[in-house]
Amino acid sequence: MIIILDGNAFFESVVSELKFNTFIGLIPKSIIIGIGYKDFSTMDSLRSRDYTYPTAIPEYEMDLSGGAAKFKRFIDTELIPKLTREHKIDIDKSAICGHSLAGYFALFYGLKSIEDNSFTIKNIVSASPSLHYNHRFIFDMEEKLMNRSAELKLYISMGAEDMADEESIGILDSFEKQIQGRNYMGLSLKTAEFTNFGHLDAAIPGFIKGLTFVFEN
């Protein structure tokens, strides 16, 4: 099973790419689940609520934010039990993919799993995550995780243009080095930078390369 966040925007494109990559054997045949909203305008207003934690600092001017812990509980305790009842799913071979704020959520999901020592989805694909959110809160969250096991495969990618502004220069390398310095037991990590790619056009390549990594033998 592959869960695609921001399904309104990415579901059809990802499914199209997966058909070819499944055909050539890079990614196994999977049930594809898109988590979205009733329309694009609703997605724009609610994704910041569902994909962020903690509540946004005032400078971001987000009307709604900070609901990522609740959204993770929804996925783990409502969505996945329903899907496993209705479909033949190998949960250990399932993945979650997110881009931008949803990429931030994918990382939060993985780190929260480590914090709780509870690993429902063990394959995390994060494309162009908003690592700068709340003055790099995700760095602080990871830093508090000491002497933990991490039954995760984690792929993080960014376009070169994602890291062109002063706030984000070198941010992917910094986050990678911080994680690698922790020596998590069981964690498999890979990062990638896509040269000459911007924020949006790095999404689909990030998903496909990430899924190829987490599903490789």
Side-chain angles (χ1 to χ4, degrees):
M1 176 179 68
I2 298 171
I3 294 177
I4 307 296
L5 302 173
D6 284 328
N8 304 69
F10 295 120
F11 183 79
E12 292 183 2
S13 297
V14 173
V15 168
S16 178
E17 290 288 335
L18 285 174
K19 286 181 179 178
F20 175 72
N21 283 273
T22 297
F23 173 74
I24 62 176
L26 291 178
I27 297 171
K29 290 183 178 180
S30 303
I31 295 173
I32 314 301
I33 305 296
I35 300 181
Y37 304 87
K38 67 177 182 178
D39 51 40
F40 275 97
S41 62
T42 304
M43 182 182 79
D44 284 341
S45 65
L46 295 184
R47 66 192 299 274
S48 62
R49 176 198 68 185
D50 293 335
Y51 297 152
T52 62
Y53 185 90
T55 303
I57 56 180
E59 66 187 67
Y60 293 143
E61 298 182 349
M62 289 183 179
D63 293 332
L64 298 169
S65 62
K70 184 177 181 180
F71 193 62
K72 182 181 186 298
R73 286 195 299 272
F74 157 71
I75 291 174
D76 288 349
T77 66
E78 296 184 44
L79 179 63
I80 290 178
K82 176 179 172 61
L83 292 172
T84 53
R85 286 195 304 268
E86 297 178 355
H87 304 280
K88 187 177 180 180
I89 291 173
D90 184 346
I91 194 63
D92 288 336
K93 295 182 180 179
S94 295
I96 187 166
C97 304
H99 170 262
S100 193
L101 283 181
Y104 178 92
F105 172 81
L107 294 178
F108 173 86
Y109 183 100
L111 294 181
K112 191 74 169 96
S113 297
I114 297 173
E115 180 182 291
D116 296 339
N117 193 31
S118 178
F119 301 93
T120 303
I121 297 178
K122 300 178 181 179
N123 300 297
I124 310 294
V125 177
S126 176
S128 298
S130 302
L131 292 173
H132 63 276
Y133 178 78
N134 269 31
H135 302 310
R136 301 190 176 189
F137 171 83
I138 204 78
F139 283 72
D140 296 334
M141 181 181 182
E142 190 281 331
E143 192 171 23
K144 294 176 182 177
L145 301 175
M146 300 181 65
N147 302 319
R148 304 293 183 97
S149 63
E151 300 175 36
L152 295 174
K153 295 189 77 171
L154 174 59
Y155 178 92
I156 312 170
S157 64
M158 298 184 80
E161 294 179 18
D162 280 322
M163 297 175 284
D165 63 275
E166 184 176 350
E167 187 178 33
S168 298
I169 293 174
I171 198 168
L172 179 58
D173 286 342
S174 296
F175 194 56
E176 179 185 18
K177 289 176 182 177
Q178 179 173 317
I179 294 174
Q180 287 179 333
R182 311 292 281 180
N183 295 317
Y184 290 105
M185 293 180 59
L187 177 67
S188 181
L189 170 68
K190 184 175 183 179
T191 65
E193 178 183 336
F194 298 126
T195 306
N196 298 323
F197 277 67
H199 186 64
L200 287 176
D201 53 346
I204 301 300
F207 290 163
I208 299 304
K209 292 293 186 181
L211 290 169
T212 301
F213 167 70
V214 299
F215 287 130
E216 68 182 3
N217 294 325

